[in-house]
Amino acid sequence: QEHVVESGGGLVQAGGSLILACTASGFTFDHYIVGWFRQAPGKEREGVSCFDINDYNTYYADSVKGRFSISRDIAKNTVFLQMNSLKPEDTAVYYCAADGRGFSAKDLCTEPESVDSWGQGTQVTVSS
């Protein structure tokens, strides 16, 4: 069964760093858009960063530009989200999604309701 698995969340102090990993199981990320989304308590799920495996086009939400970086390890079939200079407002459950229906990276990230399959999520907590 095709699915993605997230890992790497945890508790970190403000200003610290974490790296999240999204690994594909049962398929490869070739020809997919892979995105990271997050949902804080009481808030809607939002796109954080999305990456087009085909052309390396990348989208970042304004709130994370300059602090977060998305990358891919082909051999590990994994997409990473490097999160630096973390802030308390980054606290959320982070989810990975992969979509092969032809969305652009920006479209997938700005329309999370379009995602039809989510990973289990990983909690990121940033203390002040």
Side-chain angles (χ1 to χ4, degrees), residues 75-96:
K76 295 181 179 180
N77 204 22
T78 298
V79 170
F80 297 99
L81 184 69
Q82 175 71 49
M83 304 186 295
N84 299 324
S85 302
L86 283 162
K87 305 175 181 180
E89 51 264 42
D90 294 318
T91 295
V93 178
Y94 283 69
Y95 298 90
C96 177

Side-chain angles (χ1 to χ4, degrees), residues 11-35:
L11 173 64
V12 64
Q13 288 188 330
S17 298
L18 282 174
I19 184 164
L20 305 182
C22 173
T23 301
S25 179
F27 71 107
T28 66
F29 282 140
D30 295 344
H31 310 299
Y32 277 79
I33 306 292
V34 182

Side-chain angles (χ1 to χ4, degrees), residues 50-101:
C50 292
F51 178 63
D52 188 329
I53 299 295
N54 300 304
D55 61 14
Y56 292 83
N57 191 30
T58 304
Y59 170 87
Y60 293 99
D62 288 343
S63 58
V64 306
K65 280 182 181 176
R67 301 189 297 122
F68 290 13
S69 177
I70 193 168
S71 64
R72 178 195 185 191
D73 186 319
I74 297 174
K76 295 181 179 180
N77 204 22
T78 298
V79 170
F80 297 99
L81 184 69
Q82 175 71 49
M83 304 186 295
N84 299 324
S85 302
L86 283 162
K87 305 175 181 180
E89 51 264 42
D90 294 318
T91 295
V93 178
Y94 283 69
Y95 298 90
C96 177
D99 193 287
R101 293 173 289 173

